[in-house]
Amino acid sequence: MAKLRYFDASTETAQKEPAQASSHSEFLRTGRITRQRSHWLAAERRYLSHEEVAEKTGRKLQAAGMQTHQHINAFHRAIQFPKLVFHRTLQDSPHLGYCHVTASRTKFARYEEVSWAFYIANFYADISDNDNFFERIDARQSRMYFAVAIKPGEHTPEKMTIDRSVRGNGVLFRTDDPQVAIRNVLLLGARNEQLREIIRQL
């Protein structure tokens, strides 16, 4: 697969000028050399390195993670989550990435105690059954919110890995709807059935 190239779109003019004939036919027809900006724009594009793209993506993900954490903790003082915001970008596609927002432990369905982590991503994908984490990435959908059961990493460089013994794949929920995501996180964090019932009615 060819390596993606990125250019800085902010340098382009806000309003594109009317399309012009090619430079050689314009010169033959009128004897004039066109000096309009749109004609030279392609040559002036500033291409960005993958590191620059990853840095821009990271700033956006961090901001989204901080805002999401604030929304969750603003619901009720009895449901508060630690702020554990950090991000990763995908190695060969640095315009795509995901952000860890928070983590906690909870009693979940028939599982006595489950450690879990909540993430947001700027794409939609399936959570992989192997160490790749994501598969079938769809960048046309601009967001994904998901929570996975986690456990300490044993034979991997990562400190934490997905606990696939929970629900067969470790995925607690996955959605592109922010309201559904926040409701699910709050349900995971609620300490009693009374709070859970309030959250379900939202």
Side-chain angles (χ1 to χ4, degrees), residues 74-93:
F75 175 73
H76 196 286
R77 65 177 177 271
I79 309 174
Q80 297 293 300
F81 297 96
K83 187 194 297 182
L84 301 168
V85 179
F86 62 88
H87 74 277
R88 299 276 186 276
T89 55
L90 304 191
Q91 188 172 1
D92 295 324
S93 303

Side-chain angles (χ1 to χ4, degrees), residues 129-162:
D129 290 333
N130 55 43
D131 293 335
N132 290 340
F133 208 53
F134 300 112
E135 59 186 11
R136 290 185 286 282
I137 293 171
D138 183 359
R140 293 171 300 177
Q141 285 185 268
S142 64
R143 64 178 67 170
M144 176 172 69
Y145 304 86
F146 63 100
V148 291
I150 55 173
K151 65 179 182 178
E154 294 168 357
H155 306 293
T156 65
E158 296 290 329
K159 289 183 181 176
M160 303 299 284
T161 59
I162 297 176

Side-chain angles (χ1 to χ4, degrees), residues 51-65:
E51 291 75 22
E52 288 176 298
V53 174
E55 189 181 325
K56 284 183 176 222
T57 303
R59 282 198 301 269
K60 290 178 184 176
L61 289 168
Q62 288 283 128

Side-chain angles (χ1 to χ4, degrees), residues 104-116:
S104 189
R105 286 192 187 106
T106 191
K107 188 173 181 177
F108 179 73
R110 59 190 170 84
Y111 303 99
E112 194 53 43
E113 187 168 75
V114 175
S115 295
W116 55 271

